Amino acid sequence: MNIKNANKFILVLMLSVFFANTNAQQKTIDQKVAALLKQMTIEEKIGQLNQYNDDADATGPTTVDNDKANQIRKGQVGSLLNAKGTVRTRSWQKIAMESRLKIPLLFGLDVIHGYKTTFPIPLAEAASWDLDAMQLGARIAATEASASGIHWTFAPMVDIARDPRWGRIMEGAGEDTYLGCKIAEARVKGFQGKLGDINSVMACAKHFAAYGAAVGGRDYNSVDMSDRQLWEVYLPPFKAAVDAGAATFMNSFNDLNGVPATGNKMLQRDILKGKWGFKGFVVSDWGSIGEMQNHGSVKNEYEAALSAITAGSDMDMESRCYKNNLTKLVADKKISIALIDDAVSRILKKKFELGLFDDPYKYCNADRETAALNNTTHVAAARDMAKKSIILLKNENNILPLSKALKTIALIGPMVKQLKQNKGFWDVDVPGVDSNFIVSQWKGLQNKLGANTNLLYAKGCNIEGNDKSGFAEAIEVAKQAEVVVFSMGEKRDMSGEAKSRSDISIPGVQEELLKELLATGKPVVVLIHAGRPLVFNYTADNAPAILYTWWLGSEAGNAIADVLFGDYNPAAKTTTTFPRSVGQVPIYYNHFNTGRPVTNDKEHLYRSAYNDLSIYPKYAFGYGLSYTKFEYSNFALNKKTVKANETIEASVTIANTGKYDGEEIVQLYLKDKVASSVRPIIELKDFKKIFIKSGESKTIKFVIDKEKLSFYNTQLQWVAEPGDFELMIGAASNDIKWKEVFELVK
Ligand code: BGC
């Protein structure tokens, strides 16, 4: 055997040992689960499917139950949600250890964008298009949460959202399916790492499925959509989560084409557990099993439990329908015990994989908790993520970045001195932690600027309401400054669950105050804090500089200061279309052409558009500015025809011709020009975020394969049809720098 072959042999040997070990480990877990199952009474089995809220936080109707501890002791509860901290989780776990079979509890929590160290809201993070940073953010959230007793986060939310009226748009990656898949994968990997590692928590892809398409953006509402759209737009991020190894799924509140998702067999049993081979377990959403009575798909809780368990919902979050009805359903022979065993096994398996049977207090180490929460490494990562999430929407006459040599800066607005506001919805209130660790915008600027700069402050107005009594002071303060930074937007709980709004303009009198500030003639930089794309035409048209600063988390103030003063050059780009009016909603970039397409505002009548509005959104998908300038050149395709089993490569050179180093998000779009099913006018199929020093350039290459050319035809087959494709490379969906056609041949 020569050296090369010997090396190959060793590699094969190592791989077989590795796979044999993994298989053996899995086998032992399967065997352990089977052995445990044999010892369990039906009541104990059903207990594993039962999840209660720890009384602290609630996002749904709560059932006061003073008997929880007793039920845990009897093995009638498998999981608690909203129990936080090593002290609290340990005390519950101790009770579980008093049960006959000592099956540990699972502690689940909505760790959506950080635990104590709070990262930007997910929609803001998505705007960074920085998958590594998002993965790291999820990893840090998992590290802190797992140190604080948590085993399982109800994240990521991978719902595609095309309607900014829907408050939960803040929780996802935006409107695009391709980007949504990439972000789903990054977040699942970040949260989970390798399940069982001390810093890992189980991820939960939610809400399965199509929750983001609720009628009119009204939370919890119905969804009626074609199978083709479901498969093409809404399901792929869930499939990406399965492929990334997501341990759990959560179903959704909505009905899908008349069948509540919680009782939807096609979704959970046929697609998720069948076609996709998902081996984890599905938790219902809060009370969603019982809510099927309100939907009108079942008569009572007995039927609700039957519908959900048959459809593949394994764990009942807070509705108690399983606890109260599954035994009878088995006795009545409506369901087999095998169905229950399957659900129980899926849950027990995860408890074994997490290592909870070896040590139920594995994630309950108070020293680790103290060391992990908001440590300096985590704080640095949160600041980095926050500055990467800020979108520069406008920068007339290069007002930004501001000079650190400015003598007087006025910081005005209702957000300036706020702490908790910066965290945004779905933050975690960690027990025993006050808000002082959060860096306010005021503090962030103070940290940045030396003693030579005089920072002035006026609140000016509230976020909501009509009170203008603070205007005069704000105007006075503005007049004394060289530059005004005006901080406005939504309150942190205006976007989030059950936070749908029909009016998504800037609340209160904030834009009126801006008008007065602009009238002073001072340069005004506007910061907009929000959980969704807002409508702010006055600001967009009149303020010289705008940064979309979302809810950036606990390092908000520092990150904003980094961007304002040019220590970081903003690179983020929108991942949702920003409408110019609620009347345009839903508006998304990857729509069909229709038979009466509109190509510019001047066309009129008998076209598919509103007659009283521009056809354009305020900001298109993929849009965002930089302090520097990028020029695109040297476009090339390596061939003009491609076979399905081949790839085709497109390359482009990007030069940084401005004064600042910076990152550019280069976007690749495709359009299938003629197909058996109508195709969108443009679809994101790849992107690259690249750093280029001022004066330098980089050439990048995109590889297009069959997958990128495929779509679901009307028979729901995933096909790449021969014919012409238009390839587009650009800086935004509405800023295409180059187009070229190639042909897919048989
Ligand atoms: C939400 C879920 C969340 C659950 C637990 C529900 O109301 O829809 O996303 O995970 O509450 O807090």
Side-chain angles (χ1 to χ4, degrees):
M1 201 187 286
N2 61 28
I3 296 198
K4 230 172 157 187
N5 282 344
N7 282 346
K8 253 192 205 160
F9 178 73
I10 293 170
L11 183 71
V12 170
L13 200 72
M14 279 165 60
L15 284 177
S16 5
V17 171
F18 172 77
F19 285 118
N21 277 344
T22 322
N23 281 341
Q25 208 184 352
Q26 198 52 55
K27 234 190 199 153
T28 44
I29 287 187
D30 287 344
Q31 284 163 351
K32 283 178 188 169
V33 168
L36 182 54
L37 208 57
K38 278 200 188 121
Q39 300 174 51
M40 295 170 80
T41 62
I42 183 161
E43 197 183 40
E44 284 164 339
K45 287 178 181 174
I46 293 165
Q48 287 306 303
L49 313 186
N50 185 28
Q51 184 186 51
Y52 284 154
N53 181 42
D54 181 10
D55 303 304
D57 307 89
T59 49
T62 314
T63 309
V64 179
D65 187 344
N66 297 325
D67 188 44
K68 274 179 196 157
N70 203 21
Q71 292 176 48
I72 292 172
R73 212 170 272 119
K74 286 198 211 145
Q76 293 173 350
V77 183
S79 172
L80 287 181
L81 75 147
N82 292 333
K84 289 173 281 193
T86 51
V87 175
R88 184 92 181 158
T89 51
R90 181 177 283 273
S91 72
W92 283 120
Q93 198 66 296
K94 260 188 161 161
I95 300 174
M97 289 306 106
E98 291 166 22
S99 66
R100 189 177 76 91
L101 293 171
K102 300 191 178 3
I103 301 178
L105 288 167
L106 270 180
F107 296 112
L109 184 74
D110 293 287
V111 183
I112 308 292
H113 53 113
Y115 186 70
K116 180 177 174 187
T117 308
T118 313
F119 283 74
I121 55 164
L123 185 61
E125 286 194 352
S128 73
W129 299 52
D130 192 323
L131 302 174
D132 291 341
M134 282 182 255
Q135 182 162 339
L136 180 66
R139 189 78 207 133
I140 288 172
T143 303
E144 293 195 7
S146 64
S148 203
I150 308 301
H151 309 134
W152 176 20
T153 175
F154 304 127
M157 185 189 98
V158 303
D159 296 309
I160 295 298
R162 291 172 158 182
D163 192 332
R165 291 172 299 184
W166 189 49
R168 297 195 82 166
I169 195 170
M170 55 81 52
E171 241 181 286
E175 73 189 29
D176 185 65
T177 302
Y178 176 82
L179 190 57
C181 289
K182 294 285 169 201
I183 293 178
E185 181 189 351
R187 289 192 166 136
V188 167
K189 288 188 172 160
F191 284 128
Q192 279 192 189
K194 187 174 156 295
L195 210 58
D197 280 355
I198 191 76
N199 290 328
S200 288
V201 294
M202 293 195 294
C204 180
K206 70 186 188 186
H207 305 83
F208 197 56
Y211 182 46
V215 173
R218 293 195 285 278
D219 214 355
Y220 315 123
N221 219 286
S222 293
V223 176
D224 203 330
M225 70 166 59
S226 72
D227 284 345
R228 226 192 46 73
Q229 188 175 57
L230 178 70
W231 278 92
E232 192 157 295
V233 180
Y234 289 86
L235 289 187
F238 288 100
K239 174 66 165 57
V242 173
D243 293 344
T248 73
F249 259 55
M250 184 185 290
N251 55 38
S252 52
F253 288 121
N254 56 286
D255 74 275
L256 176 63
N257 303 332
V259 183
T262 307
N264 198 310
K265 182 170 164 296
M266 176 200 71
L267 282 175
Q268 299 170 100
R269 222 169 263 293
D270 301 347
I271 297 175
L272 178 62
K273 292 177 176 175
K275 197 174 166 65
W276 293 348
F278 172 67
K279 296 279 177 286
F281 70 88
V282 180
V283 63
S284 78
D285 205 344
W286 184 296
S288 68
I289 299 180
E291 286 177 15
M292 286 195 284
Q293 296 169 92
N294 294 339
H295 281 284
S297 64
V298 296
K299 220 183 333 186
N300 48 34
E301 293 198 346
Y302 177 84
E303 284 189 6
L306 172 63
S307 168
I309 193 84
T310 313
S313 286
D314 300 305
M315 186 179 275
D316 174 1
M317 183 190 286
E318 264 292 324
S319 91
R320 290 160 169 77
C321 290
Y322 279 5
K323 175 177 180 289
N324 297 332
N325 296 281
L326 287 185
T327 314
K328 184 156 171 25
L329 281 165
V330 174
D332 293 349
K333 302 212 167 9
K334 296 277 189 203
I335 55 170
S336 68
I337 191 73
L339 198 67
I340 305 235
D341 284 353
D342 175 62
V344 177
S345 304
R346 287 169 178 269
I347 294 163
L348 290 178
K349 205 164 174 171
K350 293 302 160 202
K351 293 187 176 183
F352 275 109
E353 284 173 13
L354 282 162
L356 292 174
F357 281 97
D358 300 326
D359 177 7
Y361 306 106
K362 179 172 165 186
Y363 304 91
C364 274
N365 176 330
D367 292 342
R368 189 163 84 87
E369 185 176 35
T370 314
L373 266 47
N374 211 40
N375 69 31
T376 49
T377 319
H378 297 179
V379 168
R383 179 171 179 165
D384 188 57
M385 186 78 248
K387 62 196 190 194
K388 286 179 168 158
S389 306
I390 298 173
I391 310 178
L392 177 63
L393 290 179
K394 190 173 178 189
N395 195 16
E396 250 173 33
N397 304 323
N398 296 326
I399 279 208
L400 288 172
L402 300 176
S403 161
K404 286 180 197 155
L406 285 167
K407 290 272 176 301
T408 319
I409 301 174
L411 204 43
I412 296 175
M415 309 283 181
V416 172
K417 293 203 170 174
Q418 301 276 354
L419 294 175
K420 199 170 153 63
Q421 283 296 336
N422 293 291
K423 287 172 90 189
F425 202 81
W426 286 121
D427 59 324
V428 178
D429 276 328
V430 179
V433 171
D434 60 28
S435 292
N436 288 329
F437 74 102
I438 301 166
V439 183
S440 70
Q441 296 157 27
W442 178 251
K443 185 86 179 97
L445 262 72
Q446 278 185 327
N447 291 344
K448 179 68 67 188
L449 297 167
N452 290 339
T453 309
N454 192 10
L455 269 184
L456 306 176
Y457 167 72
K459 183 175 173 199
C461 62
N462 294 321
I463 296 172
E464 292 178 287
N466 298 322
D467 185 2
K468 296 186 190 171
S469 59
F471 277 28
E473 185 204 5
I475 293 159
E476 259 332 288
V477 166
K479 282 182 181 161
Q480 294 165 38
E482 288 161 272
V483 171
V484 176
V485 177
F486 180 51
S487 173
M488 68 172 183
E490 283 192 316
K491 273 203 319 215
R492 62 175 284 281
D493 56 0
M494 283 180 162
S495 291
E497 183 173 353
K499 302 294 179 286
S500 297
R501 293 179 77 81
S502 67
D503 178 358
I504 53 170
S505 54
I506 306 272
V509 290
Q510 297 178 95
E511 275 192 309
E512 285 181 56
L513 176 55
L514 172 63
K515 198 171 183 180
E516 307 260 345
L517 295 173
L518 288 169
T520 63
K522 299 286 178 178
V524 181
V525 176
V526 179
L527 312 177
I528 303 180
H529 311 285
R532 51 157 65 90
L534 291 173
V535 171
F536 46 93
N537 294 314
Y538 174 79
T539 306
D541 297 342
N542 294 284
I546 306 169
L547 290 167
Y548 213 73
T549 42
W550 309 101
W551 298 118
L552 291 173
S554 41
E555 283 298 302
N558 285 332
I560 287 170
D562 287 341
V563 170
L564 279 175
F565 294 94
D567 288 334
Y568 178 75
N569 180 0
K573 301 200 181 200
T574 59
T575 67
T576 53
T577 303
F578 278 53
R580 53 181 66 232
S581 148
V582 165
Q584 278 183 321
V585 172
I587 180 169
Y588 46 92
Y589 84 99
N590 47 352
H591 57 83
F592 294 157
N593 207 26
T594 80
R596 296 274 174 105
V598 203
T599 50
N600 66 63
D601 266 343
K602 300 203 175 70
E603 289 175 62
H604 50 271
L605 287 183
Y606 307 110
R607 56 175 195 160
S608 178
Y610 299 109
N611 290 325
D612 57 346
L613 261 186
S614 163
I615 61 161
Y616 301 109
K618 201 68 191 174
Y619 301 105
F621 174 86
Y623 169 83
L625 302 173
S626 164
Y627 293 155
T628 196
K629 272 181 73 177
F630 295 107
E631 277 171 22
Y632 289 54
S633 64
N634 288 338
F635 302 99
L637 258 190
N638 70 339
K639 48 178 113 155
K640 291 296 283 264
T641 57
V642 61
K643 290 192 180 137
N645 59 355
E646 296 171 350
T647 56
I648 182 166
E649 290 172 14
S651 55
V652 53
T653 301
I654 322 285
N656 180 345
T657 57
K659 280 195 300 196
Y660 300 88
D661 298 347
E663 294 150 300
E664 170 68 327
I665 300 164
V666 186
Q667 299 156 40
L668 173 95
Y669 295 93
L670 286 175
K671 175 180 162 59
D672 190 343
K673 291 182 69 121
V674 178
S676 61
S677 166
V678 172
R679 307 301 307 137
I681 57 161
I682 178 169
E683 272 186 297
L684 183 76
K685 287 294 171 180
D686 208 346
F687 66 90
K688 291 205 179 350
K689 185 172 184 179
I690 45 168
F691 173 79
I692 312 177
K693 284 192 154 170
S694 162
E696 294 188 359
S697 61
K698 274 188 185 158
T699 297
I700 54 169
K701 200 166 73 180
F702 291 106
V703 179
I704 298 118
D705 59 9
K706 185 179 168 199
E707 180 73 15
K708 294 197 190 308
L709 305 178
S710 301
F711 66 98
Y712 282 100
N713 65 14
T714 46
Q715 278 80 51
L716 294 185
Q717 290 153 339
W718 183 242
V719 290
E721 290 179 352
D724 282 352
F725 286 80
E726 188 165 63
L727 177 142
M728 292 157 269
I729 291 179
S733 63
N734 69 342
D735 186 9
I736 298 302
K737 310 284 188 186
W738 184 61
K739 285 182 182 182
E740 186 64 271
V741 173
F742 67 88
E743 188 187 359
L744 174 67
V745 291
K746 277 209 178 119

